[in-house]
Amino acid sequence: MNLFDVYPLYSITPVKALDCIITDENGVEYLDLYSGHGVISIGHSHPEYVNKLKEQLDKIGFYSNAIQNPLQVELAKKLGELSGYEDYSLFLCSSGAEANENALKLASFHTEKSRIIAFENSFHGRTSAAVAATDNKKIVAPMNAQQSVTFLPLNKIELVEKELKKGDVCCVIIEGIQGVGGLDEGTTEFFKALELACAKLDVVLILDEVQSGYGRSGKFFAHQYHDIKPDIISIAKGMGNGFPIGGILISPKIKASYGLLGTTFGGSHLSCAAGIAVLETIENENLQENATQIYHHFIEAIKDMPFVKKIKGKGLMLGLEFDFDVSELRKKLILEKQVFTGNSSNKKLLRILPPLTIKKEAINHFVIVLKQALEEIKT
């Protein structure tokens, strides 16, 4: 049997990784500034993380959610404390797509409505095909037999309000900072107006923090820069540092009932152990503060870089925008300079999503090799 060929692959085979360094089968070391789509939050093979998983493997790895799992309670308590959402409830699942699916389902159950408002260039897992087709102000794409999604331009609150007043919208879903779509983000004015409009018309506000959450922006959640409180927050990626785990944080105004949501692998003993280790490390090593400090260092180090037209994002969720397609630049960085970076639906954007443990020296090295790569491409 062959693998279903849907991903272009670089001829690199990693065999081990530590913190921000990946080593391939030939012993070549690479600086990881992409973290596997922002998944590696506390660094590869962090010793506390590894020990936590090994200890749990010696006990129990997984069993049904029909029995008590104290690790779920411990994870929820720790997450509430660090995020500032202690009065919210946590539902655990296995991925960001599953988290958003449950968020949309819960919003529909709560409001007894079905239409969803999302934003152009957004990515929430199962809306990706529709986003790729967006070339005007809004489109409607099938979600399932009951739901449809309407895409609107970001930061156009008057268009959102017009749609909400039609009375058939169950929720608005928006990323704290857009990930795959190119690191665009709503203004504070827009987020505050969006929160107010949703509350006024009984529409659930969902913040997709799958990529922008867990300290990556410098705050625990990127939407906390705007002083708002959504009804549901979806999380995954950095939540498990590579172990599959996701979830949604749910406002007290949305009530639970048996059978409302379901999952097979969500909240397993192993995934909870991974999740607890991540939260403890973020707190103990002040990784949110490090993300902010490295951000300021990055901005200063890159400000005179030739060909960079714009620096986008916050914290360690960053992008460098050029006036040319960066595909060749990214390829050169990986294969010749041994630095992993990320791509985007914006072909002119080079994404930078390193582990939150990264140090200034690694950023300085990246600046040197990026300048070299640019000179080689442009001369």
Short mmCIF file of all heavy atoms in Angstrom, two decimals, residues 71-129:
data_model
loop_
_atom_site.label_atom_id
_atom_site.label_comp_id
_atom_site.label_asym_id
_atom_site.label_seq_id
_atom_site.Cartn_x
_atom_site.Cartn_y
_atom_site.Cartn_z
N LEU A 71 -7.03 13.08 35.91
CA LEU A 71 -6.13 13.94 35.14
C LEU A 71 -6.90 14.99 34.34
O LEU A 71 -6.40 16.09 34.11
CB LEU A 71 -5.27 13.09 34.20
CG LEU A 71 -4.23 12.19 34.85
CD1 LEU A 71 -3.49 11.36 33.81
CD2 LEU A 71 -3.23 12.99 35.68
N GLN A 72 -8.12 14.65 33.92
CA GLN A 72 -8.95 15.64 33.22
C GLN A 72 -9.29 16.80 34.15
O GLN A 72 -9.24 17.97 33.76
CB GLN A 72 -10.23 14.99 32.71
CG GLN A 72 -10.03 14.00 31.59
CD GLN A 72 -11.35 13.50 31.02
OE1 GLN A 72 -12.44 13.89 31.45
NE2 GLN A 72 -11.27 12.61 30.04
N VAL A 73 -9.60 16.49 35.38
CA VAL A 73 -9.94 17.52 36.38
C VAL A 73 -8.71 18.39 36.66
O VAL A 73 -8.80 19.62 36.73
CB VAL A 73 -10.45 16.86 37.67
CG1 VAL A 73 -10.75 17.92 38.72
CG2 VAL A 73 -11.70 16.02 37.38
N GLU A 74 -7.56 17.74 36.82
CA GLU A 74 -6.31 18.48 37.08
C GLU A 74 -5.98 19.40 35.91
O GLU A 74 -5.58 20.56 36.11
CB GLU A 74 -5.17 17.49 37.33
CG GLU A 74 -3.85 18.16 37.67
CD GLU A 74 -2.72 17.16 37.89
OE1 GLU A 74 -2.99 15.95 37.94
OE2 GLU A 74 -1.56 17.61 37.97
N LEU A 75 -6.12 18.89 34.69
CA LEU A 75 -5.84 19.70 33.51
C LEU A 75 -6.77 20.90 33.42
O LEU A 75 -6.33 22.03 33.17
CB LEU A 75 -5.97 18.83 32.25
CG LEU A 75 -5.84 19.54 30.90
CD1 LEU A 75 -4.48 20.21 30.77
CD2 LEU A 75 -6.06 18.57 29.75
N ALA A 76 -8.06 20.67 33.65
CA ALA A 76 -9.04 21.76 33.57
C ALA A 76 -8.74 22.84 34.61
O ALA A 76 -8.83 24.04 34.32
CB ALA A 76 -10.45 21.21 33.76
N LYS A 77 -8.39 22.43 35.81
CA LYS A 77 -8.09 23.39 36.88
C LYS A 77 -6.87 24.23 36.52
O LYS A 77 -6.88 25.47 36.65
CB LYS A 77 -7.86 22.66 38.21
CG LYS A 77 -7.64 23.57 39.41
CD LYS A 77 -7.53 22.76 40.69
CE LYS A 77 -7.46 23.66 41.92
NZ LYS A 77 -6.25 24.52 41.92
N LYS A 78 -5.82 23.59 36.05
CA LYS A 78 -4.59 24.30 35.70
C LYS A 78 -4.82 25.23 34.52
O LYS A 78 -4.33 26.37 34.50
CB LYS A 78 -3.51 23.28 35.36
CG LYS A 78 -2.11 23.87 35.24
CD LYS A 78 -1.60 24.28 36.60
CE LYS A 78 -0.17 24.79 36.53
NZ LYS A 78 0.31 25.27 37.83
N LEU A 79 -5.57 24.76 33.52
CA LEU A 79 -5.86 25.57 32.35
C LEU A 79 -6.67 26.81 32.72
O LEU A 79 -6.41 27.91 32.24
CB LEU A 79 -6.59 24.73 31.30
CG LEU A 79 -7.06 25.44 30.03
CD1 LEU A 79 -5.91 26.15 29.34
CD2 LEU A 79 -7.73 24.45 29.09
N GLY A 80 -7.66 26.63 33.59
CA GLY A 80 -8.46 27.76 34.04
C GLY A 80 -7.63 28.81 34.74
O GLY A 80 -7.79 30.02 34.52
N GLU A 81 -6.70 28.36 35.58
CA GLU A 81 -5.85 29.28 36.34
C GLU A 81 -4.94 30.09 35.42
O GLU A 81 -4.82 31.31 35.56
CB GLU A 81 -5.01 28.51 37.36
CG GLU A 81 -5.82 27.91 38.50
CD GLU A 81 -5.00 26.95 39.36
OE1 GLU A 81 -3.84 26.65 38.97
OE2 GLU A 81 -5.51 26.51 40.40
N LEU A 82 -4.29 29.41 34.48
CA LEU A 82 -3.31 30.10 33.63
C LEU A 82 -3.97 30.98 32.57
O LEU A 82 -3.43 32.01 32.19
CB LEU A 82 -2.40 29.09 32.94
CG LEU A 82 -1.33 28.42 33.80
CD1 LEU A 82 -0.34 27.65 32.93
CD2 LEU A 82 -0.57 29.44 34.64
N SER A 83 -5.14 30.57 32.10
CA SER A 83 -5.80 31.31 31.02
C SER A 83 -6.67 32.45 31.52
O SER A 83 -7.02 33.35 30.75
CB SER A 83 -6.66 30.37 30.18
OG SER A 83 -7.77 29.89 30.94
N GLY A 84 -7.04 32.41 32.81
CA GLY A 84 -7.96 33.42 33.34
C GLY A 84 -9.42 33.08 33.11
O GLY A 84 -10.30 33.93 33.27
N TYR A 85 -9.70 31.83 32.75
CA TYR A 85 -11.07 31.39 32.50
C TYR A 85 -11.50 30.31 33.49
O TYR A 85 -12.03 29.28 33.12
CB TYR A 85 -11.18 30.87 31.06
CG TYR A 85 -11.31 31.98 30.03
CD1 TYR A 85 -10.20 32.52 29.41
CD2 TYR A 85 -12.57 32.50 29.72
CE1 TYR A 85 -10.32 33.54 28.48
CE2 TYR A 85 -12.69 33.52 28.78
CZ TYR A 85 -11.57 34.04 28.17
OH TYR A 85 -11.71 35.05 27.26
N GLU A 86 -11.31 30.58 34.76
CA GLU A 86 -11.61 29.59 35.80
C GLU A 86 -13.09 29.26 35.90
O GLU A 86 -13.46 28.17 36.36
CB GLU A 86 -11.09 30.08 37.15
CG GLU A 86 -9.59 30.13 37.25
CD GLU A 86 -9.09 30.67 38.57
OE1 GLU A 86 -9.00 31.90 38.71
OE2 GLU A 86 -8.79 29.86 39.47
N ASP A 87 -13.97 30.18 35.48
CA ASP A 87 -15.41 29.93 35.57
C ASP A 87 -15.97 29.22 34.34
O ASP A 87 -17.16 28.92 34.29
CB ASP A 87 -16.17 31.24 35.81
CG ASP A 87 -15.96 32.27 34.71
OD1 ASP A 87 -14.89 32.24 34.06
OD2 ASP A 87 -16.86 33.10 34.49
N TYR A 88 -15.14 28.94 33.34
CA TYR A 88 -15.57 28.23 32.14
C TYR A 88 -15.42 26.72 32.35
O TYR A 88 -14.75 26.27 33.28
CB TYR A 88 -14.75 28.66 30.92
CG TYR A 88 -15.24 29.95 30.28
CD1 TYR A 88 -15.54 31.06 31.04
CD2 TYR A 88 -15.38 30.06 28.90
CE1 TYR A 88 -15.97 32.25 30.45
CE2 TYR A 88 -15.81 31.23 28.29
CZ TYR A 88 -16.11 32.32 29.09
OH TYR A 88 -16.55 33.50 28.51
N SER A 89 -16.04 25.94 31.48
CA SER A 89 -15.93 24.48 31.51
C SER A 89 -15.07 24.02 30.34
O SER A 89 -14.98 24.70 29.32
CB SER A 89 -17.31 23.83 31.43
OG SER A 89 -18.10 24.19 32.54
N LEU A 90 -14.49 22.84 30.47
CA LEU A 90 -13.61 22.29 29.44
C LEU A 90 -14.18 21.00 28.89
O LEU A 90 -14.53 20.09 29.64
CB LEU A 90 -12.22 22.03 30.03
CG LEU A 90 -11.20 21.33 29.13
CD1 LEU A 90 -10.85 22.21 27.93
CD2 LEU A 90 -9.94 20.97 29.92
N PHE A 91 -14.26 20.92 27.55
CA PHE A 91 -14.57 19.66 26.87
C PHE A 91 -13.34 19.27 26.08
O PHE A 91 -12.82 20.06 25.28
CB PHE A 91 -15.77 19.81 25.94
CG PHE A 91 -16.08 18.55 25.16
CD1 PHE A 91 -16.77 17.51 25.74
CD2 PHE A 91 -15.64 18.41 23.85
CE1 PHE A 91 -17.03 16.34 25.03
CE2 PHE A 91 -15.90 17.26 23.12
CZ PHE A 91 -16.60 16.22 23.73
N LEU A 92 -12.86 18.05 26.26
CA LEU A 92 -11.63 17.60 25.64
C LEU A 92 -11.89 16.73 24.41
O LEU A 92 -12.82 15.93 24.40
CB LEU A 92 -10.79 16.82 26.65
CG LEU A 92 -10.19 17.67 27.78
CD1 LEU A 92 -9.70 16.78 28.91
CD2 LEU A 92 -9.08 18.56 27.26
N CYS A 93 -11.04 16.91 23.40
CA CYS A 93 -11.11 16.09 22.19
C CYS A 93 -9.68 15.85 21.70
O CYS A 93 -8.75 15.87 22.52
CB CYS A 93 -12.00 16.76 21.14
SG CYS A 93 -11.51 18.46 20.72
N SER A 94 -9.48 15.63 20.41
CA SER A 94 -8.17 15.17 19.95
C SER A 94 -7.46 16.08 18.96
O SER A 94 -6.29 15.84 18.65
CB SER A 94 -8.31 13.79 19.30
OG SER A 94 -8.84 12.86 20.22
N SER A 95 -8.12 17.11 18.45
CA SER A 95 -7.49 17.95 17.43
C SER A 95 -8.22 19.28 17.32
O SER A 95 -9.32 19.46 17.86
CB SER A 95 -7.53 17.26 16.06
OG SER A 95 -8.87 17.20 15.59
N GLY A 96 -7.60 20.21 16.58
CA GLY A 96 -8.23 21.50 16.37
C GLY A 96 -9.48 21.42 15.52
O GLY A 96 -10.48 22.11 15.79
N ALA A 97 -9.45 20.58 14.50
CA ALA A 97 -10.64 20.42 13.66
C ALA A 97 -11.80 19.87 14.47
O ALA A 97 -12.95 20.31 14.34
CB ALA A 97 -10.33 19.49 12.48
N GLU A 98 -11.51 18.89 15.34
CA GLU A 98 -12.56 18.32 16.19
C GLU A 98 -13.05 19.34 17.21
O GLU A 98 -14.25 19.40 17.52
CB GLU A 98 -12.02 17.07 16.90
CG GLU A 98 -13.10 16.27 17.61
CD GLU A 98 -12.56 15.07 18.37
OE1 GLU A 98 -11.35 14.78 18.27
OE2 GLU A 98 -13.36 14.43 19.08
N ALA A 99 -12.14 20.17 17.71
CA ALA A 99 -12.53 21.22 18.66
C ALA A 99 -13.50 22.19 18.00
O ALA A 99 -14.56 22.53 18.56
CB ALA A 99 -11.29 21.95 19.17
N ASN A 100 -13.16 22.64 16.80
CA ASN A 100 -14.05 23.58 16.11
C ASN A 100 -15.36 22.94 15.71
O ASN A 100 -16.42 23.58 15.75
CB ASN A 100 -13.34 24.18 14.89
CG ASN A 100 -12.38 25.28 15.27
OD1 ASN A 100 -12.60 25.99 16.25
ND2 ASN A 100 -11.31 25.44 14.51
N GLU A 101 -15.33 21.67 15.33
CA GLU A 101 -16.57 20.97 14.99
C GLU A 101 -17.50 20.93 16.20
O GLU A 101 -18.71 21.19 16.09
CB GLU A 101 -16.27 19.56 14.51
CG GLU A 101 -17.53 18.79 14.12
CD GLU A 101 -17.22 17.44 13.49
OE1 GLU A 101 -16.04 17.11 13.35
OE2 GLU A 101 -18.18 16.74 13.15
N ASN A 102 -16.95 20.62 17.36
CA ASN A 102 -17.78 20.59 18.57
C ASN A 102 -18.23 21.99 18.98
O ASN A 102 -19.35 22.16 19.49
CB ASN A 102 -17.01 19.93 19.71
CG ASN A 102 -17.06 18.42 19.64
OD1 ASN A 102 -18.08 17.79 19.92
ND2 ASN A 102 -15.95 17.81 19.24
N ALA A 103 -17.39 22.99 18.76
CA ALA A 103 -17.79 24.37 19.06
C ALA A 103 -18.97 24.80 18.21
O ALA A 103 -19.95 25.38 18.71
CB ALA A 103 -16.60 25.31 18.84
N LEU A 104 -18.91 24.50 16.91
CA LEU A 104 -20.00 24.86 16.00
C LEU A 104 -21.27 24.09 16.33
O LEU A 104 -22.38 24.64 16.30
CB LEU A 104 -19.58 24.60 14.55
CG LEU A 104 -18.40 25.41 14.03
CD1 LEU A 104 -18.00 24.93 12.64
CD2 LEU A 104 -18.71 26.90 14.01
N LYS A 105 -21.10 22.82 16.65
CA LYS A 105 -22.26 22.00 17.02
C LYS A 105 -22.92 22.53 18.29
O LYS A 105 -24.16 22.65 18.37
CB LYS A 105 -21.79 20.55 17.23
CG LYS A 105 -22.92 19.55 17.50
CD LYS A 105 -22.35 18.19 17.88
CE LYS A 105 -21.53 17.58 16.77
NZ LYS A 105 -21.06 16.21 17.12
N LEU A 106 -22.10 22.85 19.27
CA LEU A 106 -22.64 23.35 20.54
C LEU A 106 -23.37 24.68 20.35
O LEU A 106 -24.43 24.91 20.94
CB LEU A 106 -21.49 23.51 21.54
CG LEU A 106 -21.86 23.84 22.99
CD1 LEU A 106 -22.78 22.77 23.57
CD2 LEU A 106 -20.60 23.96 23.84
N ALA A 107 -22.80 25.55 19.52
CA ALA A 107 -23.46 26.83 19.24
C ALA A 107 -24.82 26.62 18.59
O ALA A 107 -25.79 27.31 18.91
CB ALA A 107 -22.56 27.68 18.35
N SER A 108 -24.89 25.66 17.68
CA SER A 108 -26.15 25.38 17.00
C SER A 108 -27.19 24.81 17.97
O SER A 108 -28.36 25.20 17.94
CB SER A 108 -25.91 24.40 15.84
OG SER A 108 -27.07 24.23 15.08
N PHE A 109 -26.76 23.90 18.84
CA PHE A 109 -27.66 23.36 19.85
C PHE A 109 -28.17 24.46 20.79
O PHE A 109 -29.35 24.50 21.15
CB PHE A 109 -26.95 22.29 20.69
CG PHE A 109 -26.70 21.00 19.96
CD1 PHE A 109 -25.66 20.16 20.35
CD2 PHE A 109 -27.50 20.60 18.89
CE1 PHE A 109 -25.42 18.97 19.68
CE2 PHE A 109 -27.28 19.42 18.22
CZ PHE A 109 -26.23 18.60 18.61
N HIS A 110 -27.26 25.35 21.18
CA HIS A 110 -27.60 26.39 22.16
C HIS A 110 -28.59 27.40 21.60
O HIS A 110 -29.51 27.85 22.31
CB HIS A 110 -26.32 27.10 22.60
CG HIS A 110 -26.56 28.20 23.59
ND1 HIS A 110 -26.92 27.97 24.90
CD2 HIS A 110 -26.48 29.57 23.45
CE1 HIS A 110 -27.05 29.12 25.53
NE2 HIS A 110 -26.80 30.10 24.67
N THR A 111 -28.43 27.77 20.34
CA THR A 111 -29.27 28.82 19.75
C THR A 111 -30.45 28.28 18.95
O THR A 111 -31.36 29.03 18.61
CB THR A 111 -28.44 29.71 18.82
OG1 THR A 111 -27.91 28.90 17.75
CG2 THR A 111 -27.29 30.37 19.57
N GLU A 112 -30.38 26.96 18.61
CA GLU A 112 -31.36 26.34 17.73
C GLU A 112 -31.39 27.01 16.36
O GLU A 112 -32.44 27.13 15.72
CB GLU A 112 -32.75 26.33 18.38
CG GLU A 112 -32.80 25.52 19.67
CD GLU A 112 -34.19 25.43 20.26
OE1 GLU A 112 -35.07 26.23 19.86
OE2 GLU A 112 -34.41 24.57 21.12
N LYS A 113 -30.23 27.48 15.92
CA LYS A 113 -30.05 28.07 14.60
C LYS A 113 -28.88 27.35 13.93
O LYS A 113 -28.20 26.55 14.56
CB LYS A 113 -29.79 29.57 14.71
CG LYS A 113 -30.95 30.33 15.35
CD LYS A 113 -30.59 31.77 15.62
CE LYS A 113 -31.72 32.48 16.37
NZ LYS A 113 -31.35 33.88 16.71
N SER A 114 -28.64 27.65 12.65
CA SER A 114 -27.65 26.83 11.95
C SER A 114 -26.59 27.59 11.18
O SER A 114 -25.52 27.06 10.91
CB SER A 114 -28.36 25.88 10.98
OG SER A 114 -29.10 26.61 10.02
N ARG A 115 -26.83 28.84 10.79
CA ARG A 115 -25.87 29.51 9.92
C ARG A 115 -24.68 30.03 10.72
O ARG A 115 -24.83 30.48 11.86
CB ARG A 115 -26.53 30.65 9.13
CG ARG A 115 -25.63 31.23 8.03
CD ARG A 115 -26.44 31.94 6.95
NE ARG A 115 -27.14 33.10 7.45
CZ ARG A 115 -26.71 34.36 7.31
NH1 ARG A 115 -25.56 34.59 6.70
NH2 ARG A 115 -27.43 35.37 7.76
N ILE A 116 -23.50 30.00 10.09
CA ILE A 116 -22.25 30.38 10.72
C ILE A 116 -21.65 31.55 9.97
O ILE A 116 -21.63 31.57 8.73
CB ILE A 116 -21.26 29.20 10.70
CG1 ILE A 116 -21.83 28.01 11.48
CG2 ILE A 116 -19.89 29.60 11.23
CD1 ILE A 116 -21.25 26.69 11.04
N ILE A 117 -21.13 32.52 10.71
CA ILE A 117 -20.37 33.61 10.11
C ILE A 117 -18.89 33.36 10.38
O ILE A 117 -18.48 33.17 11.52
CB ILE A 117 -20.77 34.99 10.69
CG1 ILE A 117 -22.25 35.29 10.43
CG2 ILE A 117 -19.88 36.09 10.12
CD1 ILE A 117 -22.63 35.43 8.98
N ALA A 118 -18.08 33.38 9.31
CA ALA A 118 -16.63 33.29 9.43
C ALA A 118 -16.03 34.40 8.57
O ALA A 118 -16.76 35.21 7.99
CB ALA A 118 -16.14 31.91 8.99
N PHE A 119 -14.72 34.44 8.48
CA PHE A 119 -14.06 35.56 7.81
C PHE A 119 -13.12 35.10 6.71
O PHE A 119 -12.52 34.02 6.79
CB PHE A 119 -13.35 36.43 8.84
CG PHE A 119 -14.31 37.05 9.80
CD1 PHE A 119 -14.63 36.41 11.00
CD2 PHE A 119 -14.97 38.23 9.49
CE1 PHE A 119 -15.56 36.95 11.87
CE2 PHE A 119 -15.91 38.77 10.35
CZ PHE A 119 -16.21 38.13 11.54
N GLU A 120 -13.02 35.92 5.67
CA GLU A 120 -12.19 35.58 4.53
C GLU A 120 -10.75 35.30 4.96
O GLU A 120 -10.21 35.97 5.84
CB GLU A 120 -12.23 36.71 3.49
CG GLU A 120 -13.59 36.84 2.83
CD GLU A 120 -13.68 38.03 1.90
OE1 GLU A 120 -12.67 38.73 1.73
OE2 GLU A 120 -14.78 38.25 1.34
N ASN A 121 -10.16 34.28 4.35
CA ASN A 121 -8.80 33.82 4.65
C ASN A 121 -8.67 33.16 6.01
O ASN A 121 -7.56 32.92 6.48
CB ASN A 121 -7.78 34.97 4.52
CG ASN A 121 -7.74 35.55 3.14
OD1 ASN A 121 -7.73 34.82 2.16
ND2 ASN A 121 -7.76 36.87 3.03
N SER A 122 -9.80 32.83 6.62
CA SER A 122 -9.75 32.10 7.89
C SER A 122 -9.58 30.61 7.62
O SER A 122 -9.77 30.13 6.50
CB SER A 122 -11.03 32.33 8.69
OG SER A 122 -12.16 31.86 7.99
N PHE A 123 -9.19 29.89 8.66
CA PHE A 123 -9.07 28.44 8.56
C PHE A 123 -9.50 27.83 9.89
O PHE A 123 -8.93 28.16 10.94
CB PHE A 123 -7.63 28.02 8.23
CG PHE A 123 -7.46 26.53 8.09
CD1 PHE A 123 -7.73 25.90 6.89
CD2 PHE A 123 -7.06 25.76 9.17
CE1 PHE A 123 -7.58 24.51 6.76
CE2 PHE A 123 -6.92 24.38 9.05
CZ PHE A 123 -7.17 23.76 7.84
N HIS A 124 -10.51 26.97 9.85
CA HIS A 124 -11.02 26.35 11.08
C HIS A 124 -11.12 24.84 10.93
O HIS A 124 -11.94 24.20 11.58
CB HIS A 124 -12.39 26.93 11.44
CG HIS A 124 -12.40 28.44 11.51
ND1 HIS A 124 -11.76 29.13 12.52
CD2 HIS A 124 -12.94 29.37 10.69
CE1 HIS A 124 -11.93 30.43 12.33
NE2 HIS A 124 -12.64 30.60 11.22
N GLY A 125 -10.30 24.27 10.05
CA GLY A 125 -10.33 22.83 9.85
C GLY A 125 -11.27 22.46 8.73
O GLY A 125 -10.85 22.35 7.58
N ARG A 126 -12.54 22.33 9.03
CA ARG A 126 -13.47 21.83 8.02
C ARG A 126 -14.01 22.92 7.11
O ARG A 126 -14.79 22.65 6.21
CB ARG A 126 -14.61 21.06 8.67
CG ARG A 126 -15.51 21.87 9.59
CD ARG A 126 -16.33 20.94 10.47
NE ARG A 126 -17.52 21.60 10.98
CZ ARG A 126 -18.71 21.05 11.01
NH1 ARG A 126 -18.88 19.84 10.53
NH2 ARG A 126 -19.74 21.69 11.50
N THR A 127 -13.64 24.18 7.30
CA THR A 127 -14.07 25.24 6.38
C THR A 127 -13.02 25.54 5.34
O THR A 127 -13.18 26.44 4.54
CB THR A 127 -14.38 26.54 7.16
OG1 THR A 127 -13.16 27.00 7.78
CG2 THR A 127 -15.45 26.34 8.19
N SER A 128 -11.94 24.79 5.30
CA SER A 128 -10.79 25.16 4.48
C SER A 128 -11.11 25.21 2.98
O SER A 128 -10.65 26.10 2.28
CB SER A 128 -9.63 24.21 4.72
OG SER A 128 -10.01 22.87 4.45
N ALA A 129 -11.87 24.26 2.47
CA ALA A 129 -12.16 24.23 1.04
C ALA A 129 -12.94 25.47 0.62
O ALA A 129 -12.71 26.03 -0.45
CB ALA A 129 -12.96 22.97 0.69
#
